[in-house]
Amino acid sequence: MSAPLARVGLGLMCKAPLAGVTKTRLAAMIGLDAAAAISRAFLSDCAGAASTAAGAIALDLVACYRPADAATELARLLGPRWPLTYADRGDLGATMLDVLDSLLARSPGGGIVMGADVPLIGAATIAEAARLLREGAENRVVIGPTFDGGYWLIGIRSADRASSLFMPMTWSTPDVFAETVRRAQAAGLDLVTLPLQRDIDEPADLEWLKCELAHSSAECPATRAALASLCVERRAIRALTHF
């Protein structure tokens, strides 16, 4: 009988999907409430993909949230499969490293943090990230780049070996992925890159998402429903303004 697979911990980085708090760049185009609804849908679909992946590969799931008063909202959205832990060390890198260190303490196969702005991500991609991480040595790092120069997922086997990746830098800029690669090479890490994904942060990203979903078989049911509702609302507003 083969030995059970070493479990991998996955922390989904959650920002409360509240009007005026989340997706503020989208809100300028679609309004605060609609932006919050879109954010809620993205989070639901990303969590759903991770939950499906956990059924195929040994994953320990945790939702890492901020701000501190977001627990009730997120528990209602994510359900009992996702234990919640507050995660905010001020700096994004310090927060991610803290989460990863906590995951690694109970998940010998590695620790992953994943963003919730990639609603088209599939369970197979998440499972592949976990597999690649678990099969690597202590210096293995798995990273999923985004079109805007950042990354949507990063996984490590050792917090000590990979700590330089999370030292202060200018986060949320086009140089984040390139700087992370540079640091990984300088530290002698075994870096494995996942397929490129697109974060949905800007109005142009949302327009891209609508076109992509029109020709895609991706499930993301919550995102499809939220976008359909947004289109209905816009048509109603146009009808009223031309009455």
Side-chain angles (χ1 to χ4, degrees):
M1 181 180 295
S2 60
L5 296 174
R7 299 189 74 80
V8 173
L10 185 146
L12 183 64
M13 307 302 288
C14 306
K15 190 174 183 180
L18 301 174
V21 174
T22 186
K23 294 297 174 196
T24 53
R25 284 172 282 180
L26 288 182
M29 178 179 76
I30 63 176
L32 295 176
D33 291 336
I38 290 291
S39 177
R40 192 174 297 111
F42 290 175
L43 179 55
S44 178
D45 284 334
C46 286
S51 294
T52 301
I57 193 168
L59 284 178
D60 284 324
L61 304 176
V62 61
C64 308
Y65 70 91
R66 64 182 177 94
D69 60 357
T72 300
E73 170 76 10
L74 291 170
R76 185 184 305 115
L77 175 64
L78 297 175
R81 187 164 191 179
W82 286 89
L84 301 175
T85 182
Y86 175 65
D88 190 354
R89 296 287 299 274
D91 176 73
L92 177 58
T95 299
M96 289 193 292
L97 184 58
D98 189 52
V99 169
L100 287 165
D101 195 37
S102 176
L103 292 171
L104 288 165
R106 59 181 184 271
S107 302
I112 291 171
V113 290
M114 171 183 156
D117 293 328
V118 283
L120 297 188
I121 202 64
T125 302
I126 299 171
E128 177 67 0
R131 183 191 68 80
L132 290 167
L133 184 63
R134 185 172 54 209
E135 293 179 356
E138 190 181 54
N139 67 336
R140 172 63 58 89
V141 174
V142 176
I143 190 168
T146 54
F147 278 96
D148 62 6
Y151 55 80
W152 65 274
L153 175 150
I154 190 165
I156 64 174
R157 291 296 306 267
S158 166
D160 289 337
R161 293 293 300 269
S163 62
S164 63
L165 306 184
F166 306 97
M167 294 298 101
M169 70 170 82
T170 308
W171 299 101
S172 302
T173 67
D175 299 323
V176 169
F177 176 72
E179 173 62 15
T180 302
V181 170
R182 186 195 67 76
R183 293 183 184 189
Q185 292 170 341
L189 298 174
D190 174 25
L191 188 68
V192 179
T193 303
L194 299 171
L196 196 64
Q197 302 291 332
R198 183 160 181 164
D199 276 344
I200 310 300
D201 290 319
E202 302 283 351
D205 298 325
L206 193 63
E207 294 303 319
W208 171 87
L209 178 61
K210 293 177 186 176
C211 293
E212 190 70 12
L213 284 175
H215 304 91
S216 171
S217 60
E219 294 185 5
C220 51
T223 296
R224 288 184 182 275
L227 288 176
S229 177
L230 179 61
C231 289
V232 169
E233 182 180 332
R234 284 182 161 183
R235 285 197 294 269
I237 291 173
R238 282 198 296 269
L240 287 172
T241 55
H242 287 87
F243 182 73

